[in-house]
Amino acid sequence: MHALRRLLGAAALIVVADGTAASSTTDLRFNGFAAGKRIVNVDARVDGQDEAFRAYAGTFSVTGTNPVDTFVAWCIDIATTLHQAGTSKTYVKQDVLDAAQKADLQKLFDHAYDEDDVLSSQVKTAAFQVAIWDAIYEDDWNAGSIVPGAKADPLEPDYFRIIDVNAQSFTAVRDQANAYLALARDMSNPTPASYKLLQFDGRGETQSLVTVAAMPLPGGVLLLASGFGAAAMVRRRRRRGEDAAQA
């Protein structure tokens, strides 16, 4: 887990000095969940299809081949099934989300994401995945409600909410997800980070994923490693608080 925390997904793409990324393919192996998971019951409409299903919510551990590196990632394609742990799929390194989705997801990472915090408990790692889904599919910044938003085709509005998890953890996951979403909505973190969203398109064959690379602080310098790939080495944010107890 500590290796995953250090990487922050920075080596997931070949990042160049101007912040752009080379478009190419890479094989990604799903290793399992980096900090555990929780089962969530989802009520959603995605791409015009009404869905009610159970899903695992958590942070993925993924190993890529271009460059070879292990990092954390999250699902941005809830309607598609992820390939099995220990197996690999070929992804295209390109944007999957539209401009509005990316803008809200950017706010979520910049104002609510702290690697140590998110990986500190099953509740928090599940809640952050739930917050990602809500930021992508809705505009209401509330993981427990349905408000079809402007991100969707008005004739086929997308929506998302979790309707329960289980008797012991539903409230905790929902409330923690909403705490992350509130930070993003209000942009209220006094010391926000600056992350580069890195997207992997599963092309309908497996779940599309997102990870992040931390960008340099103002006046900083992005250091690039030579060789087959490049890993951004950046200053980490100070932890915002104490680790939560394992749920």
Side-chain angles (χ1 to χ4, degrees):
M1 182 181 296
H2 293 298
L4 294 175
R5 291 177 178 176
R6 286 197 302 270
L7 285 167
L8 265 176
L13 288 183
I14 301 172
V15 181
V16 297
D18 64 358
T20 61
S23 178
S24 61
T25 62
T26 186
D27 289 343
L28 296 182
R29 184 180 74 236
F30 171 46
N31 302 316
F33 289 87
K37 62 186 182 293
R38 289 296 171 95
I39 297 174
V40 296
N41 287 340
V42 174
D43 181 19
R45 179 182 295 161
V46 180
D47 296 331
Q49 300 295 315
D50 291 312
E51 306 279 355
F53 52 88
R54 301 179 79 191
Y56 287 122
T59 301
F60 302 146
S61 166
V62 177
T63 299
T65 59
N66 182 21
V68 178
D69 222 337
T70 298
F71 54 94
V72 293
W74 296 266
C75 167
I76 53 172
D77 181 14
I78 197 172
T80 305
T81 302
L82 184 68
H83 51 287
Q84 292 184 345
T87 64
S88 299
K89 286 287 187 180
T90 300
Y91 284 78
V92 178
K93 300 172 183 176
Q94 64 183 13
D95 282 356
V96 178
L97 306 176
D98 64 27
Q101 292 172 322
K102 286 193 293 184
D104 283 347
L105 198 56
Q106 188 74 59
K107 288 192 287 187
L108 179 65
F109 275 100
D110 286 354
H111 288 270
Y113 179 63
D114 178 279
E115 54 180 339
D116 292 324
D117 173 67
V118 167
L119 296 180
S120 68
S121 74
Q122 289 186 11
V123 166
K124 287 193 171 184
T125 195
F128 196 76
Q129 175 64 86
V130 168
I132 287 173
W133 286 329
D134 191 82
I136 290 171
Y137 294 118
E138 282 202 331
D139 298 304
D140 67 341
W141 305 101
N142 188 326
S145 69
I146 288 180
V147 179
K151 293 188 180 78
D153 184 323
L155 298 179
E156 296 182 336
D158 289 358
Y159 58 77
F160 167 86
R161 68 174 174 176
I162 56 171
I163 48 179
D164 66 51
V165 183
N166 58 50
Q168 296 180 333
S169 63
F170 167 64
T171 300
V173 171
R174 181 201 60 200
D175 291 351
Q176 182 61 60
N178 285 342
Y180 290 139
L181 290 165
L183 285 170
R185 179 196 63 212
D186 301 335
M187 294 186 289
S188 55
N189 187 343
T191 57
S194 179
Y195 288 107
K196 172 71 175 179
L197 298 182
L198 311 172
Q199 299 175 54
F200 297 88
D201 188 353
R203 300 173 296 174
E205 298 179 5
T206 188
Q207 284 182 357
S208 296
L209 306 176
V210 66
T211 188
V212 289
M215 300 298 288
L217 296 173
V221 177
L222 182 63
L223 301 178
L224 297 180
S226 60
F228 186 67
M233 295 186 296
V234 296
R235 192 183 315 170
R236 287 174 52 187
R237 277 191 297 165
R238 181 181 301 173
R239 288 179 58 187
R240 289 194 300 267
E242 297 295 329
D243 284 349
Q246 289 284 339

